[in-house]
Amino acid sequence: MISGAGREFIIKDTHRGLYYEDGKLTKVIEAGRYKIPRRHRWLRRRPTVECMLVDVRERELTIKGQEILTADKVAIRVSILVQFRVTDPKAAIHTVDNFEDRLYSDVQLAARRSLASMTLEEILTNRNRLSEDILSDVTESANGYGVAIRRADVKDLIFPGNLQEIMNRVLAAERHSQAQLVEARTRAEVEQIEAQSRAETTRRDAEAEAQARRLREQAEAEATRAKAVAETQAYEERVKAAEALEGHPALLRLAELETLRELAKNANARLYLNGSLKEEV
């Protein structure tokens, strides 16, 4: 509390001042330089002035070592870290006797109510729920005495000795189970990749074999067509030759003589004339 007639004082930007005249709050003053007026001037009495500084910076409050029974009757000790700041200096000083003590009690009770409704497993797996419960439970009442809560987080969780050992075993088992799950998933993924690779190889082999079969069939068809064309051409040539011989008997005789001449070149050739064998020399 700042008092004293004629005294000068400075309020920093981190604080606000409650300005009292004869014990009555007249205004809330911001950062700056101020002077308490003298009590008498020209035989005229002035009110007694006092100024109370209120810190409006964000601060922390630790709710230490609260032993609470969970919904499944497990006793745990929990510490909670609360971050808050004064948003209404007048309400913080005038509404409650001590806003920090009141905030401590409100957060403590809200934490007890929240943790008592949760099982141990829920507390371990979802600590954010405690923060959310405290904020929803205390925010409105804290605003009533000029305080805004920024965060309320679990700082420490302490279990009974035997429970701690059990929890360590459970956590170890969970980690082992997770490792096995990851290994199984990896193995399954590898097998799936290998199966896909085999299927792709089989598909490509089948496509290659089908393509080769099509090429063979096309080649055979082409060869058959070429053979048919050649036979057709040969037949047409024989027909033309027969027509030419039929129209010109001399050509037929010439062909016979050519044939005999070719036979004469062969020492083993035999020639049959009128049913008797004549050996060509």
Side-chain angles (χ1 to χ4, degrees), residues 255-273 278-281:
E256 290 176 354
L257 293 174
E258 289 290 338
T259 302
L260 290 173
R261 187 175 62 183
E262 292 297 326
L263 290 173
K265 295 177 180 179
N266 189 349
N268 297 322
R270 296 290 185 272
L271 180 64
Y272 291 86
L273 296 175
K278 178 179 285 187
E279 182 175 356
E280 293 290 339
V281 180

PDB file of all heavy atoms in Angstrom, residues 255-273 278-281:
ATOM      1  N   ALA A 255       9.907 -81.460-125.855  1.00  0.00           N
ATOM      2  CA  ALA A 255      10.024 -81.729-124.430  1.00  0.00           C
ATOM      3  C   ALA A 255      10.438 -83.173-124.181  1.00  0.00           C
ATOM      4  O   ALA A 255      11.237 -83.469-123.276  1.00  0.00           O
ATOM      5  CB  ALA A 255       8.690 -81.433-123.752  1.00  0.00           C
ATOM      6  N   GLU A 256       9.895 -84.137-125.056  1.00  0.00           N
ATOM      7  CA  GLU A 256      10.267 -85.532-124.897  1.00  0.00           C
ATOM      8  C   GLU A 256      11.750 -85.722-125.162  1.00  0.00           C
ATOM      9  O   GLU A 256      12.451 -86.455-124.458  1.00  0.00           O
ATOM     10  CB  GLU A 256       9.438 -86.396-125.837  1.00  0.00           C
ATOM     11  CG  GLU A 256       7.977 -86.480-125.434  1.00  0.00           C
ATOM     12  CD  GLU A 256       7.161 -87.287-126.454  1.00  0.00           C
ATOM     13  OE1 GLU A 256       7.737 -87.653-127.494  1.00  0.00           O
ATOM     14  OE2 GLU A 256       5.978 -87.526-126.169  1.00  0.00           O
ATOM     15  N   LEU A 257      12.246 -85.050-126.236  1.00  0.00           N
ATOM     16  CA  LEU A 257      13.652 -85.182-126.578  1.00  0.00           C
ATOM     17  C   LEU A 257      14.552 -84.614-125.472  1.00  0.00           C
ATOM     18  O   LEU A 257      15.610 -85.170-125.152  1.00  0.00           O
ATOM     19  CB  LEU A 257      13.942 -84.464-127.898  1.00  0.00           C
ATOM     20  CG  LEU A 257      13.274 -85.101-129.128  1.00  0.00           C
ATOM     21  CD1 LEU A 257      13.503 -84.243-130.374  1.00  0.00           C
ATOM     22  CD2 LEU A 257      13.809 -86.516-129.351  1.00  0.00           C
ATOM     23  N   GLU A 258      14.133 -83.515-124.890  1.00  0.00           N
ATOM     24  CA  GLU A 258      14.898 -82.922-123.789  1.00  0.00           C
ATOM     25  C   GLU A 258      14.959 -83.896-122.616  1.00  0.00           C
ATOM     26  O   GLU A 258      15.991 -84.053-121.969  1.00  0.00           O
ATOM     27  CB  GLU A 258      14.258 -81.600-123.352  1.00  0.00           C
ATOM     28  CG  GLU A 258      14.435 -80.483-124.358  1.00  0.00           C
ATOM     29  CD  GLU A 258      15.877 -80.006-124.449  1.00  0.00           C
ATOM     30  OE1 GLU A 258      16.642 -80.222-123.462  1.00  0.00           O
ATOM     31  OE2 GLU A 258      16.277 -79.473-125.484  1.00  0.00           O
ATOM     32  N   THR A 259      13.826 -84.563-122.376  1.00  0.00           N
ATOM     33  CA  THR A 259      13.772 -85.518-121.272  1.00  0.00           C
ATOM     34  C   THR A 259      14.699 -86.693-121.531  1.00  0.00           C
ATOM     35  O   THR A 259      15.427 -87.161-120.645  1.00  0.00           O
ATOM     36  CB  THR A 259      12.336 -86.015-121.063  1.00  0.00           C
ATOM     37  OG1 THR A 259      11.494 -84.900-120.800  1.00  0.00           O
ATOM     38  CG2 THR A 259      12.246 -86.988-119.908  1.00  0.00           C
ATOM     39  N   LEU A 260      14.710 -87.202-122.795  1.00  0.00           N
ATOM     40  CA  LEU A 260      15.566 -88.326-123.127  1.00  0.00           C
ATOM     41  C   LEU A 260      17.029 -87.948-123.005  1.00  0.00           C
ATOM     42  O   LEU A 260      17.875 -88.729-122.568  1.00  0.00           O
ATOM     43  CB  LEU A 260      15.273 -88.815-124.559  1.00  0.00           C
ATOM     44  CG  LEU A 260      13.912 -89.507-124.739  1.00  0.00           C
ATOM     45  CD1 LEU A 260      13.660 -89.795-126.218  1.00  0.00           C
ATOM     46  CD2 LEU A 260      13.849 -90.804-123.914  1.00  0.00           C
ATOM     47  N   ARG A 261      17.318 -86.721-123.404  1.00  0.00           N
ATOM     48  CA  ARG A 261      18.704 -86.274-123.294  1.00  0.00           C
ATOM     49  C   ARG A 261      19.153 -86.224-121.825  1.00  0.00           C
ATOM     50  O   ARG A 261      20.269 -86.608-121.492  1.00  0.00           O
ATOM     51  CB  ARG A 261      18.864 -84.908-123.939  1.00  0.00           C
ATOM     52  CG  ARG A 261      20.335 -84.445-124.006  1.00  0.00           C
ATOM     53  CD  ARG A 261      20.478 -83.162-124.751  1.00  0.00           C
ATOM     54  NE  ARG A 261      19.754 -82.098-124.085  1.00  0.00           N
ATOM     55  CZ  ARG A 261      19.653 -80.856-124.559  1.00  0.00           C
ATOM     56  NH1 ARG A 261      20.203 -80.560-125.737  1.00  0.00           N
ATOM     57  NH2 ARG A 261      18.987 -79.949-123.903  1.00  0.00           N
ATOM     58  N   GLU A 262      18.313 -85.809-120.948  1.00  0.00           N
ATOM     59  CA  GLU A 262      18.642 -85.751-119.534  1.00  0.00           C
ATOM     60  C   GLU A 262      18.823 -87.148-118.975  1.00  0.00           C
ATOM     61  O   GLU A 262      19.699 -87.407-118.153  1.00  0.00           O
ATOM     62  CB  GLU A 262      17.551 -85.007-118.760  1.00  0.00           C
ATOM     63  CG  GLU A 262      17.466 -83.536-119.080  1.00  0.00           C
ATOM     64  CD  GLU A 262      18.737 -82.807-118.696  1.00  0.00           C
ATOM     65  OE1 GLU A 262      19.395 -83.174-117.680  1.00  0.00           O
ATOM     66  OE2 GLU A 262      19.102 -81.843-119.391  1.00  0.00           O
ATOM     67  N   LEU A 263      17.952 -88.098-119.434  1.00  0.00           N
ATOM     68  CA  LEU A 263      18.080 -89.484-118.979  1.00  0.00           C
ATOM     69  C   LEU A 263      19.387 -90.095-119.458  1.00  0.00           C
ATOM     70  O   LEU A 263      19.990 -90.947-118.795  1.00  0.00           O
ATOM     71  CB  LEU A 263      16.892 -90.321-119.455  1.00  0.00           C
ATOM     72  CG  LEU A 263      15.545 -90.014-118.796  1.00  0.00           C
ATOM     73  CD1 LEU A 263      14.425 -90.801-119.482  1.00  0.00           C
ATOM     74  CD2 LEU A 263      15.597 -90.381-117.316  1.00  0.00           C
ATOM     75  N   ALA A 264      19.810 -89.690-120.638  1.00  0.00           N
ATOM     76  CA  ALA A 264      21.038 -90.252-121.192  1.00  0.00           C
ATOM     77  C   ALA A 264      22.239 -89.906-120.352  1.00  0.00           C
ATOM     78  O   ALA A 264      23.263 -90.595-120.368  1.00  0.00           O
ATOM     79  CB  ALA A 264      21.226 -89.758-122.628  1.00  0.00           C
ATOM     80  N   LYS A 265      22.156 -88.879-119.634  1.00  0.00           N
ATOM     81  CA  LYS A 265      23.263 -88.471-118.777  1.00  0.00           C
ATOM     82  C   LYS A 265      23.395 -89.356-117.543  1.00  0.00           C
ATOM     83  O   LYS A 265      24.426 -89.336-116.878  1.00  0.00           O
ATOM     84  CB  LYS A 265      23.087 -87.014-118.338  1.00  0.00           C
ATOM     85  CG  LYS A 265      23.150 -86.036-119.497  1.00  0.00           C
ATOM     86  CD  LYS A 265      22.904 -84.616-118.985  1.00  0.00           C
ATOM     87  CE  LYS A 265      22.961 -83.618-120.132  1.00  0.00           C
ATOM     88  NZ  LYS A 265      22.715 -82.252-119.693  1.00  0.00           N
ATOM     89  N   ASN A 266      22.352 -90.149-117.281  1.00  0.00           N
ATOM     90  CA  ASN A 266      22.327 -90.981-116.078  1.00  0.00           C
ATOM     91  C   ASN A 266      22.596 -92.418-116.502  1.00  0.00           C
ATOM     92  O   ASN A 266      21.809 -93.023-117.256  1.00  0.00           O
ATOM     93  CB  ASN A 266      20.978 -90.867-115.383  1.00  0.00           C
ATOM     94  CG  ASN A 266      20.981 -91.543-114.007  1.00  0.00           C
ATOM     95  OD1 ASN A 266      21.929 -92.263-113.650  1.00  0.00           O
ATOM     96  ND2 ASN A 266      19.925 -91.328-113.264  1.00  0.00           N
ATOM     97  N   ALA A 267      23.675 -93.033-115.991  1.00  0.00           N
ATOM     98  CA  ALA A 267      24.045 -94.391-116.381  1.00  0.00           C
ATOM     99  C   ALA A 267      23.088 -95.440-115.847  1.00  0.00           C
ATOM    100  O   ALA A 267      22.997 -96.535-116.366  1.00  0.00           O
ATOM    101  CB  ALA A 267      25.468 -94.689-115.896  1.00  0.00           C
ATOM    102  N   ASN A 268      22.400 -95.145-114.815  1.00  0.00           N
ATOM    103  CA  ASN A 268      21.486 -96.115-114.192  1.00  0.00           C
ATOM    104  C   ASN A 268      20.059 -95.981-114.701  1.00  0.00           C
ATOM    105  O   ASN A 268      19.140 -96.621-114.168  1.00  0.00           O
ATOM    106  CB  ASN A 268      21.510 -95.965-112.680  1.00  0.00           C
ATOM    107  CG  ASN A 268      22.876 -96.281-112.102  1.00  0.00           C
ATOM    108  OD1 ASN A 268      23.559 -97.218-112.578  1.00  0.00           O
ATOM    109  ND2 ASN A 268      23.285 -95.538-111.076  1.00  0.00           N
ATOM    110  N   ALA A 269      19.808 -95.067-115.598  1.00  0.00           N
ATOM    111  CA  ALA A 269      18.435 -94.822-116.060  1.00  0.00           C
ATOM    112  C   ALA A 269      17.950 -96.008-116.894  1.00  0.00           C
ATOM    113  O   ALA A 269      18.725 -96.659-117.585  1.00  0.00           O
ATOM    114  CB  ALA A 269      18.383 -93.521-116.868  1.00  0.00           C
ATOM    115  N   ARG A 270      16.647 -96.309-116.818  1.00  0.00           N
ATOM    116  CA  ARG A 270      16.015 -97.388-117.593  1.00  0.00           C
ATOM    117  C   ARG A 270      14.845 -96.792-118.359  1.00  0.00           C
ATOM    118  O   ARG A 270      14.083 -95.993-117.811  1.00  0.00           O
ATOM    119  CB  ARG A 270      15.503 -98.517-116.669  1.00  0.00           C
ATOM    120  CG  ARG A 270      16.615 -99.237-115.908  1.00  0.00           C
ATOM    121  CD  ARG A 270      17.480-100.085-116.864  1.00  0.00           C
ATOM    122  NE  ARG A 270      18.440-100.850-116.092  1.00  0.00           N
ATOM    123  CZ  ARG A 270      19.623-100.410-115.756  1.00  0.00           C
ATOM    124  NH1 ARG A 270      20.003 -99.189-116.115  1.00  0.00           N
ATOM    125  NH2 ARG A 270      20.447-101.196-115.090  1.00  0.00           N
ATOM    126  N   LEU A 271      14.678 -97.228-119.568  1.00  0.00           N
ATOM    127  CA  LEU A 271      13.612 -96.687-120.419  1.00  0.00           C
ATOM    128  C   LEU A 271      12.773 -97.847-120.938  1.00  0.00           C
ATOM    129  O   LEU A 271      13.307 -98.804-121.502  1.00  0.00           O
ATOM    130  CB  LEU A 271      14.230 -95.915-121.599  1.00  0.00           C
ATOM    131  CG  LEU A 271      13.231 -95.311-122.566  1.00  0.00           C
ATOM    132  CD1 LEU A 271      12.394 -94.240-121.845  1.00  0.00           C
ATOM    133  CD2 LEU A 271      13.961 -94.650-123.740  1.00  0.00           C
ATOM    134  N   TYR A 272      11.450 -97.773-120.749  1.00  0.00           N
ATOM    135  CA  TYR A 272      10.539 -98.812-121.196  1.00  0.00           C
ATOM    136  C   TYR A 272       9.809 -98.316-122.445  1.00  0.00           C
ATOM    137  O   TYR A 272       9.143 -97.265-122.406  1.00  0.00           O
ATOM    138  CB  TYR A 272       9.523 -99.143-120.116  1.00  0.00           C
ATOM    139  CG  TYR A 272      10.125 -99.838-118.916  1.00  0.00           C
ATOM    140  CD1 TYR A 272      10.686 -99.096-117.882  1.00  0.00           C
ATOM    141  CD2 TYR A 272      10.147-101.242-118.863  1.00  0.00           C
ATOM    142  CE1 TYR A 272      11.244 -99.714-116.794  1.00  0.00           C
ATOM    143  CE2 TYR A 272      10.718-101.870-117.767  1.00  0.00           C
ATOM    144  CZ  TYR A 272      11.265-101.125-116.724  1.00  0.00           C
ATOM    145  OH  TYR A 272      11.810-101.745-115.647  1.00  0.00           O
ATOM    146  N   LEU A 273       9.911 -99.046-123.525  1.00  0.00           N
ATOM    147  CA  LEU A 273       9.234 -98.726-124.760  1.00  0.00           C
ATOM    148  C   LEU A 273       8.372 -99.896-125.184  1.00  0.00           C
ATOM    149  O   LEU A 273       8.869-101.016-125.345  1.00  0.00           O
ATOM    150  CB  LEU A 273      10.269 -98.414-125.862  1.00  0.00           C
ATOM    151  CG  LEU A 273      11.157 -97.180-125.616  1.00  0.00           C
ATOM    152  CD1 LEU A 273      12.208 -97.085-126.745  1.00  0.00           C
ATOM    153  CD2 LEU A 273      10.299 -95.928-125.559  1.00  0.00           C
ATOM    154  N   LYS A 278      14.468-101.055-122.311  1.00  0.00           N
ATOM    155  CA  LYS A 278      15.651-100.766-123.125  1.00  0.00           C
ATOM    156  C   LYS A 278      16.587 -99.973-122.275  1.00  0.00           C
ATOM    157  O   LYS A 278      16.220 -98.916-121.748  1.00  0.00           O
ATOM    158  CB  LYS A 278      15.276-100.010-124.375  1.00  0.00           C
ATOM    159  CG  LYS A 278      16.492 -99.659-125.226  1.00  0.00           C
ATOM    160  CD  LYS A 278      16.084 -98.912-126.490  1.00  0.00           C
ATOM    161  CE  LYS A 278      15.455 -99.908-127.487  1.00  0.00           C
ATOM    162  NZ  LYS A 278      15.208 -99.267-128.782  1.00  0.00           N
ATOM    163  N   GLU A 279      17.786-100.457-122.155  1.00  0.00           N
ATOM    164  CA  GLU A 279      18.793 -99.808-121.292  1.00  0.00           C
ATOM    165  C   GLU A 279      19.531 -98.750-122.092  1.00  0.00           C
ATOM    166  O   GLU A 279      19.968 -98.986-123.202  1.00  0.00           O
ATOM    167  CB  GLU A 279      19.777-100.833-120.746  1.00  0.00           C
ATOM    168  CG  GLU A 279      20.793-100.219-119.808  1.00  0.00           C
ATOM    169  CD  GLU A 279      21.687-101.288-119.187  1.00  0.00           C
ATOM    170  OE1 GLU A 279      21.416-102.468-119.465  1.00  0.00           O
ATOM    171  OE2 GLU A 279      22.614-100.925-118.467  1.00  0.00           O
ATOM    172  N   GLU A 280      19.562 -97.597-121.528  1.00  0.00           N
ATOM    173  CA  GLU A 280      20.275 -96.502-122.195  1.00  0.00           C
ATOM    174  C   GLU A 280      21.757 -96.606-121.812  1.00  0.00           C
ATOM    175  O   GLU A 280      22.102 -96.797-120.661  1.00  0.00           O
ATOM    176  CB  GLU A 280      19.716 -95.156-121.717  1.00  0.00           C
ATOM    177  CG  GLU A 280      18.298 -94.898-122.157  1.00  0.00           C
ATOM    178  CD  GLU A 280      18.177 -94.658-123.637  1.00  0.00           C
ATOM    179  OE1 GLU A 280      19.181 -94.304-124.244  1.00  0.00           O
ATOM    180  OE2 GLU A 280      17.066 -94.777-124.174  1.00  0.00           O
ATOM    181  N   VAL A 281      22.611 -96.482-122.881  1.00  0.00           N
ATOM    182  CA  VAL A 281      24.049 -96.548-122.690  1.00  0.00           C
ATOM    183  C   VAL A 281      24.617 -95.148-122.802  1.00  0.00           C
ATOM    184  O   VAL A 281      24.254 -94.415-123.719  1.00  0.00           O
ATOM    185  CB  VAL A 281      24.687 -97.505-123.717  1.00  0.00           C
ATOM    186  CG1 VAL A 281      26.189 -97.557-123.512  1.00  0.00           C
ATOM    187  CG2 VAL A 281      24.053 -98.851-123.643  1.00  0.00           C
TER     188      VAL A 281
END
